[in-house]
Amino acid sequence: MRKRPTNRYTGFIKAGVLGTFVYKFSIFGWLVGDIVALVIYCFLWIAVFANSPTATINGFTSTGMLAYVVSARIIGHLVNSSSSFYNVGSDIREGTIANRLSKPINYRRTQMYSSIGQYIGSFILFFFPLYVPAQLILHFAFGVAFPAWYNILLFLVSSFLSMLIIDSFDFIIGQVAFFTGALFGVMLVKDAVMSFLSGGMIPLSFFPQGFQTVFKFLPFSSMLQTPAFIALGMYSFEEALIKIAWQCVWVVFLGLLSYATFGRTVKRVISVGG
Amino acid sequence: MIEAQHVTKVFYRPIRKQGLSGMAKTLFSTRKEKIVAVNDVNFSIGKGEIVGYIGANGAGKSTTIKMMCGILTPTEGKILIDGMEPYKGKYRNKVLKHIGVVFGQRTQLWWDLPLVESFKLLQSIYEIPEKDYNERLTNLKSILELDKFMDSPVRTLSLGQRMRADLAAAFLHNPDIMFLDEPTIGLDVLVKEKIIAAIKQIHAQYQTTIILTTHDMNDIANLCERIIIIDEGKILFDGPLQDVKNRFGDTRQVFVSAKDRMDLEEFNKKFAGQLQFEVIDHYLSITFDADKVQTKDVLRYVFNHCEVIDVKIKENSIEKVVKVIYEKKAY
């Protein structure tokens, strides 16, 4: 009897979770680095607002800004938990791709499932222990309201979709790294660009109007700003649903694109030997 | 049952020029050189056979293996595994379920995870029923002595341990066909012996068809009855190992280190001129055909005529034969 094909991949979710826990110490390193960065960001924005003639900048109050910067940073780590980029790049470079391809499964899907595992792992190990205290501090020290219960649910959905979008995106870029040979360099550029364009540093509403129009047709805002705005309750329920629908579009589009590009890359990789 | 029918694989590789300016030129050049990695190869391998697939570096061994596991598509001709072409989309997963591969230089285990987790992943990939999984894993664990490091992350294993684990991983789903691409590369003699013994035992138990590539002729001598020799993409020889030995003679080499000298002319006369002498590293090497001269007679003569410090005997016939074949590029 033929089982449902997904069963063959569920093992990768578990492997992804385990993989995250293996690197728990490096996560603590990130944690410390993040807390330092967050403190710096907070002081920076407090100074900016103190010297601003108006109480709001581009629709953000100073506490609103604080809440956004802190949340975006922490959520950024959660949605960026996929290691597809590195896995694809190194599998191709080191030739382990031949081993992976000799298995009766789809390589792209194995990567996606282990990314789901990594998302779960980093939710438990990183997101929860950092986000909850951050919300408490924001609430009691700065009077930021707690998110509504439905926002939390929508956020869970939205951040999961963000992770899938980033996973596909990373998977595609990971292949580019193979052709250029500079895995680490491409990663630095990718991370910087993504963090900037997805709203990780400043909300996208700070960009000039022209850019914002272009961004509407790019996947970046779906990667981070959508779940961050939802978590902060900055969208109405209807707006949130529309944004999530957009995320779904990107999940499907980039997902298909990643399958398609990988088919071509494999042909090429394998035809030059390895 | 594996059949290769007129299989040819051609690669196109961009022509790279040397130096910085050469690199810049390469960037904009579309010129490519044609490399025929495998050239009109034909063979047929039956169920349960162990075949040694040998050739110098770059002879086309790995390319052939990659075509047999569906990673590469032949440019011409076809490969049939139980009547199906593994590199065709509709057959790929069907064929791959019954194939196991070990690339000696690359691990298929998950680097960061404890070894046992790699096995569990493979269980889910191949949908191995719990009962079979436990039974086989217990068996493989004892054959390959994996117990000590089942819970260690793969990256902490030594090369020998990792290789044994890789073998177990490849046999876990009890494949009908196993491709072993240099499974003993870089291993010390003891581990090599263990691995060869394990492969023998697993073969005896599961009747797996095994295709083995290696540069170690001892592996071949210990495991294979049939060898295929490939060079520059062409098959030079396909037949029983014994044939190769017979054709080139079963030579022996006796190394003697002695306190006093012997009269070599006299010695050779005694054996009807069948001996060849050479001095290698302070040892006198005596080479002869084992079909015509008995090793024990040579040794007896040596012991009777001088005070011996040390004796070594080497039977490296296959290695030599293969070397001759590689050099002559013909069988």
Side-chain angles (χ1 to χ4, degrees):
Chain A
M1 196 191 85
R2 207 180 131 79
K3 280 185 187 174
R4 278 182 301 126
T6 44
N7 289 348
R8 282 180 289 164
Y9 297 91
T10 45
F12 286 92
I13 296 181
K14 184 181 157 202
V17 177
L18 289 171
T20 312
F21 280 78
V22 167
Y23 288 110
K24 52 183 178 290
F25 290 110
S26 76
I27 285 186
F28 287 126
W30 283 106
L31 261 172
V32 174
D34 260 30
I35 290 167
V36 173
L38 280 178
V39 171
I40 294 170
Y41 272 141
C42 291
F43 279 112
L44 188 74
W45 280 108
I46 288 169
V48 168
F49 274 96
N51 292 301
S52 161
T54 54
T56 62
I57 303 176
N58 286 328
F60 277 88
T61 61
S62 75
T63 47
M65 195 63 208
L66 222 55
Y68 179 80
V69 167
V70 171
S71 303
R73 183 104 192 160
I74 301 171
I75 294 167
H77 272 293
L78 176 67
V79 296
N80 271 301
S81 46
S82 143
S83 57
S84 279
F85 172 80
Y86 187 76
N87 290 348
V88 181
S90 66
D91 268 350
I92 293 176
R93 261 170 72 126
E94 279 152 34
T96 33
I97 194 89
N99 272 323
R100 305 282 179 238
L101 291 176
S102 66
K103 302 269 173 288
I105 39 169
N106 183 297
Y107 179 76
R108 170 67 194 108
R109 272 176 85 175
T110 64
Q111 290 299 329
M112 195 180 80
Y113 277 80
S114 54
S115 293
I116 294 173
Q118 283 156 352
Y119 171 82
I120 297 169
S122 92
F123 193 93
I124 299 166
L125 210 62
F126 183 86
F127 181 75
F128 200 71
L130 208 56
Y131 195 73
V132 171
Q135 287 303 312
L136 291 175
I137 293 169
L138 284 171
H139 182 73
F140 291 109
F142 299 95
V144 176
F146 284 129
W149 64 270
Y150 60 84
N151 276 335
I152 295 175
L153 287 184
L154 287 174
F155 166 75
L156 291 179
V157 175
S158 174
S159 67
F160 184 76
L161 293 172
S162 288
M163 180 274 297
L164 290 179
I165 294 170
I166 293 175
D167 179 59
S168 291
F169 188 78
D170 277 7
F171 189 90
I172 295 166
I173 304 293
Q175 301 167 60
V176 174
F178 162 72
F179 292 108
T180 60
L183 199 57
F184 191 69
V186 173
M187 185 177 83
L188 289 181
V189 174
K190 171 190 77 79
D191 283 353
V193 170
M194 259 171 62
S195 160
F196 194 58
L197 294 184
S198 62
M201 291 181 182
I202 45 173
L204 295 177
S205 58
F206 278 58
F207 285 95
Q209 201 55 48
F211 279 98
Q212 290 194 38
T213 318
V214 177
F215 288 161
K216 276 186 191 155
F217 301 97
L218 293 175
F220 298 105
S221 68
S222 286
M223 289 177 180
L224 179 55
Q225 182 162 292
T226 301
F229 272 26
I230 289 174
L232 292 167
M234 292 173 74
Y235 287 139
S236 68
F237 190 73
E238 289 75 27
E239 267 179 319
L241 287 183
I242 291 168
K243 292 286 177 185
I244 286 175
W246 265 112
Q247 285 189 302
C248 291
V249 171
W250 283 115
V251 168
V252 173
F253 177 73
L254 288 176
L256 292 177
L257 193 65
S258 69
Y259 275 101
T261 53
F262 187 64
R264 308 215 72 168
T265 309
V266 163
K267 259 189 199 152
R268 211 194 132 105
V269 168
I270 275 157
S271 70
V272 290
Chain B
M1 175 79 167
I2 308 168
E3 262 180 288
Q5 301 169 348
H6 303 287
V7 174
T8 298
K9 179 74 195 176
V10 179
F11 293 132
Y12 291 93
R13 194 158 52 190
I15 297 173
R16 293 188 198 283
K17 297 200 181 84
Q18 291 176 353
L20 270 180
S21 64
M23 283 236 318
K25 277 179 200 156
T26 311
L27 211 54
F28 299 104
S29 145
T30 51
R31 280 181 54 206
K32 284 178 180 167
E33 66 182 319
K34 183 177 170 183
I35 296 163
V36 183
V38 173
N39 192 351
D40 195 22
V41 159
N42 293 285
F43 56 77
S44 154
I45 295 168
K47 188 166 168 39
E49 272 193 272
I50 304 190
V51 178
Y53 195 57
I54 56 181
N57 287 326
K61 300 182 303 270
S62 293
T63 307
T64 318
I65 291 209
K66 281 177 185 161
M67 287 191 280
M68 289 193 277
C69 10
I71 301 173
L72 289 180
T73 308
T75 314
E76 272 168 55
K78 58 180 166 182
I79 290 178
L80 294 173
I81 291 181
D82 291 329
M84 292 180 280
E85 293 174 75
Y87 38 82
K88 290 220 164 139
K90 56 180 169 176
Y91 298 128
R92 189 176 166 263
N93 284 359
K94 239 187 216 169
V95 178
L96 290 186
K97 284 206 99 168
H98 304 288
I99 285 181
V101 197
V102 174
F103 293 106
Q105 314 208 44
R106 284 144 191 173
T107 183
Q108 61 174 313
L109 305 166
W110 279 263
W111 205 239
D112 298 322
L113 302 183
L115 179 57
V116 64
E117 295 299 336
S118 280
F119 291 149
K120 283 188 185 152
L121 257 177
L122 288 164
Q123 182 194 5
S124 75
I125 290 173
Y126 288 103
E127 299 172 277
I128 308 169
E130 196 64 28
K131 188 173 152 279
D132 296 357
Y133 171 79
N134 289 331
E135 210 175 277
R136 256 177 247 141
L137 189 60
T138 314
N139 187 21
L140 289 166
K141 266 199 295 195
S142 76
I143 296 175
L144 291 157
E145 299 170 27
L146 306 178
D147 273 312
K148 270 188 215 152
F149 48 89
M150 279 302 275
D151 297 317
S152 312
V154 173
R155 69 189 138 84
T156 65
L157 302 186
S158 73
L159 185 59
Q161 291 174 331
R162 203 216 78 203
M163 204 55 244
R164 273 141 63 197
D166 253 309
L167 264 184
F171 277 106
L172 203 57
H173 59 291
N174 191 17
D176 298 332
I177 300 165
M178 173 64 70
F179 298 104
L180 302 173
D181 194 0
E182 304 188 29
T184 57
I185 195 162
L187 301 178
D188 69 54
V189 188
L190 265 165
V191 178
K192 253 184 207 179
E193 275 175 8
K194 257 188 207 169
I195 285 199
I196 295 297
I199 295 172
K200 265 188 180 169
Q201 196 182 336
I202 294 168
H203 175 256
Q205 221 171 339
Y206 298 107
Q207 279 85 47
T208 319
T209 309
I210 296 177
I211 289 101
L212 168 80
T213 80
T214 178
H215 292 294
D216 189 326
M217 292 308 141
N218 278 324
D219 295 355
I220 298 281
N222 285 326
L223 278 173
C224 309
E225 282 181 358
R226 173 178 165 195
I227 58 170
I228 298 175
I229 302 177
I230 183 170
D231 196 67
E232 293 184 345
K234 281 194 173 146
I235 289 184
L236 296 180
F237 174 81
D238 178 0
L241 187 58
Q242 198 56 42
D243 277 12
V244 180
K245 279 192 180 174
N246 291 344
R247 184 182 168 110
F248 289 85
D250 190 0
T251 51
R252 293 294 145 85
Q253 213 173 0
V254 175
F255 295 88
V256 182
S257 164
K259 278 190 174 161
D260 33 19
R261 286 172 169 266
M262 276 190 296
D263 184 346
L264 296 181
E265 243 173 75
E266 183 80 9
F267 190 4
N268 212 350
K269 225 183 253 172
K270 183 88 183 156
F271 288 90
Q274 290 288 340
L275 309 180
Q276 284 174 314
F277 301 110
E278 227 179 319
V279 176
I280 301 167
D281 286 338
H282 306 294
Y283 279 83
L284 171 71
S285 129
I286 310 159
T287 311
F288 52 89
D289 189 334
D291 294 335
K292 293 173 184 152
V293 177
Q294 295 271 313
T295 312
K296 63 176 178 10
D297 294 340
V298 173
L299 286 176
R300 190 174 300 138
Y301 185 92
V302 169
F303 280 110
N304 286 340
H305 288 79
C306 58
E307 200 182 322
V308 175
I309 301 169
D310 187 19
V311 176
K312 293 188 280 190
I313 303 173
K314 210 166 149 191
E315 178 211 16
N316 64 345
S317 51
I318 319 167
E319 200 155 329
K320 269 205 164 154
V321 167
V322 169
K323 201 174 146 196
V324 170
I325 294 174
Y326 287 172
E327 277 167 3
K328 286 205 302 197
K329 308 240 174 270
Y331 174 65

